[in-house]
Each structure stands twice: as C-alpha cells, then as structure tokens.
Amino acid sequence: MDLVLNIADYYFFTPYVYPATWPADNIFRQAITLLIVTNLGAYILYFFFATLSYYFVYDHLLMKHPQFLKNQVSREITHSVQSMPWMSIPTVSLFLLEVRGYSKLYDGVGEFPYGWFQLVASVLSFLFFTDMLIYWIHRGLHHRLVYKRLHKPHHIWKIPTPFASHAFHPLDGFLQSLPYHIYPFIFPLHKVVYLGLYILVNIWTISIHDGDFRVPQLLKPFINGSAHHTDHHMLFDYNYGQYFTLWDRIGGSFRNPSSFEGNGPLNYVKKMAEEKHNSHGGNGYKNEKLFNGECTKTE
Ligand SMILES: [Zn+2]
Ligand SMILES: [Zn+2]
C-alpha cells in the first residue's frame, strides 16, 4: 500500500490537503490517508465491476426466482455501502503496519537470486495459502456459535446478484480477507503482485455472485465459480471455497453445482416460465413439484 500512499500524497494530499508542517511519514497522517484511499478504492472497485457485471453478465431472469427478495438489489447495495467503512478500519490497521515496514513486501525483483522465479512461485504460494485459509475461515463462520451473528447477513441473499459480493457483516468481510493481509507478514511478496492479487480477489468475489454459471469444460473440476457459490448461498454446507475447489474436496464439502446438472436456479426459473406458458395454453401441466423442491432434470 505504500505505493498507493506515495502516489496519493505526491499528487493530492501533500500539495492540496495537509499543511506543509505535517510530515508525510507521520503515523496519524498515514492512517487518515490510508482510510480515505482504501474506502474510495473499495467503492470504486465495487460499483464499477458490480455494475458492469449486473448489466452485462448477470442473467436478470434470476430475479424471477421465488427466493429472490423484494428490493434485493438496493438492499445488497445499502448493506455493502454501510459495511465497507467498518471493514476498512481493521484492514487499514494492517496496511499501516505494512507501510511502516513490518511486512516482507519488497519492490525490486532483483533483490533475490532467483528474482522472477521467486515472483512466480510467490503468486502460486499466495493463491494456495489464501485459498486454504479462506476455506477454513469461511467454514468456521458457518459454526452455529458465530453463524447467526456474523455470517448470516451474507446468506440472506439466496439468489445473489453481483451487488451481494461485498454485502457482509464488517467483521465477516474482514475475517475472510485476513489471509491476504497475513501472507506478506510471513512470506516475501512483491508489492505490485500483492496489490494486483488484492484487486483481483475483489473482482473474483463479484464474479462468483454474477449468476453466470459457465466454466470452461477443462477447468470445471478445479474452479470454484458462480455456479458453486450460488449453491453455497442456497444450500449452506457446500462449496465454501474461493478460487478453487481443492479445499472443498479435501474437507468433504464439495458438491457438483446444481446448474451443471440442469437443476440450478436459472433452470428453475425457465421451467417456471414454461409451466406458466403451458398452463395458460390449457394443458393443465402442474407446477407444484417445481415449487416444492428442486427443479428436476427434464428435457
Ligand atoms: Zn457462507
Ligand atoms: Zn457470497
């Protein structure tokens, strides 16, 4: 974050905001700037990518699902907007430690004998580390002692839209991002890689709520996408993962997404519409089954 902090200071805060007598490395000044930059960055990322996803990726047919709530989109947005500033407080505390030199972040690839090799290896190890911890933290958040208070607010949305991606209880959101912040305090990581992966996971979080259930055939066994995460919202005890299905498979919580089997929420809505059409057509095709249980795999 010191890269972002330096740019913000250089172009904006030093010339236009803070008095010249306030040194740039003052801890209070750094904390205030980080709070502003982190919140602004989070809002821009959230609104830009969630809006794009909502209009160009998200299938609006899903909003006709019986479990889609009244005014859901505006509720998801309100929840996210209210949570993000609170989430940013513990996050900024960690950014502050990092800016003040307590982490193992570095900026020169040449600092290590196998610079580029180390950089690529660190990306893989970062993905492995964060995927593993996020899985267990998320699973822990489903424990009955904490679920209701901390994680349930994110499960209100059974059929989420991209705007649900950041609609968490602040502590829940922070805990699920904690592995990202812990890693650079334990292992060396390039600053730009860190920033890039942090932005990427925010976009990924939006993408697993976008209701686009397609995954390239080759990657289907490995990637934890929107189909997996939508099932997580609906069925709770499966597919806790973030990028990959690995830890769900190890932890015994993997479930092949209902959408891959032709009975996901979108199939359900389409079936419902078909039912309605048929019953209007007067052939009396009953739709009770669809309302009682899952939409079964039919031609
Ligand atoms: Zn959950
Ligand atoms: Zn979710």
Side-chain angles (χ1 to χ4, degrees):
M1 278 308 272
D2 59 337
L3 296 177
V4 181
L5 185 67
N6 290 342
I7 293 171
D9 267 342
Y10 184 81
Y11 288 102
F12 184 67
F13 289 100
T14 303
Y16 302 114
V17 181
Y18 297 128
T21 49
W22 213 10
D25 61 352
N26 178 280
I27 190 166
F28 296 108
R29 176 175 154 163
Q30 287 176 328
I32 295 168
T33 311
L34 283 171
L35 268 173
I36 297 171
V37 169
T38 305
N39 275 289
L40 208 64
Y43 281 137
I44 291 172
L45 260 178
Y46 171 72
F47 279 110
F48 182 72
F49 287 104
T51 306
L52 273 184
S53 172
Y54 180 74
Y55 285 108
F56 298 108
V57 183
Y58 182 71
D59 195 327
H60 288 229
L61 262 183
L62 283 165
M63 296 165 94
K64 294 199 163 59
H65 194 282
Q67 284 179 294
F68 194 87
L69 307 178
K70 199 168 176 250
N71 303 325
Q72 185 176 312
V73 173
S74 62
R75 287 168 65 186
E76 287 171 343
I77 294 173
T78 309
H79 197 132
S80 305
V81 166
Q82 287 174 348
S83 275
M84 281 195 273
W86 294 107
M87 256 186 247
S88 76
I89 294 172
T91 307
V92 162
S93 317
L94 292 171
F95 282 156
L96 198 60
L97 284 177
E98 174 216 301
V99 160
R100 298 191 68 84
Y102 294 100
S103 76
K104 293 189 175 177
L105 288 167
Y106 63 91
D107 43 14
V109 179
E111 279 176 33
F112 293 93
Y114 302 104
W116 285 103
F117 173 76
Q118 167 129 10
L119 192 130
V120 174
S122 73
V123 172
L124 299 178
S125 108
F126 183 84
L127 289 176
F128 179 79
F129 179 88
T130 53
D131 229 50
M132 170 180 72
L133 284 188
I134 285 169
Y135 172 81
W136 289 109
I137 290 171
H138 186 182
R139 201 166 163 170
L141 284 160
H142 276 258
H143 192 280
R144 60 188 167 80
L145 288 179
V146 288
Y147 176 76
K148 242 187 186 160
R149 187 169 281 245
L150 290 185
H151 192 51
K152 199 180 172 186
H154 186 65
H155 276 273
I156 296 171
W157 339 102
K158 298 279 182 290
I159 309 291
T161 82
F163 291 109
S165 59
H166 290 66
F168 286 103
H169 181 290
L171 190 56
D172 180 4
F174 171 69
L175 286 173
Q176 295 207 53
S177 71
L178 196 55
Y180 278 79
H181 303 301
I182 297 175
Y183 185 95
F185 285 94
I186 307 174
F187 307 104
L189 186 65
H190 194 280
K191 286 175 183 175
V192 177
V193 171
Y194 177 54
L195 201 60
L197 288 169
Y198 188 63
I199 292 170
L200 184 69
V201 78
N202 276 285
I203 298 172
W204 183 257
T205 305
I206 292 169
S207 123
I208 60 173
H209 293 89
D210 70 6
D212 182 349
F213 304 130
R214 294 167 300 174
V215 177
Q217 196 59 34
L218 203 67
L219 297 176
K220 259 189 179 168
F222 314 110
I223 295 291
N224 178 78
S226 188
H228 303 73
H229 195 68
T230 301
D231 272 13
H232 175 71
H233 274 257
M234 297 180 78
L235 307 167
F236 307 100
D237 303 326
Y238 304 99
N239 303 341
Y240 297 96
Q242 181 141 255
Y243 283 119
F244 305 108
T245 56
L246 176 69
W247 285 95
D248 274 299
R249 291 179 189 278
I250 294 172
S253 53
F254 176 76
R255 188 183 196 272
N256 198 38
S258 53
S259 310
F260 291 177
E261 296 177 354
N263 55 6
L266 199 55
N267 307 89
Y268 183 93
V269 173
K270 285 178 179 166
K271 271 281 161 195
M272 238 171 50
E274 213 176 276
E275 291 292 301
K276 214 172 171 185
H277 179 77
N278 286 343
S279 63
H280 281 162
N283 66 5
Y285 193 52
K286 298 271 186 258
N287 63 5
E288 279 141 22
K289 230 184 196 171
L290 292 172
F291 278 98
N292 292 339
E294 300 158 345
C295 178
T296 48
K297 195 176 179 180
T298 45
E299 285 305 308

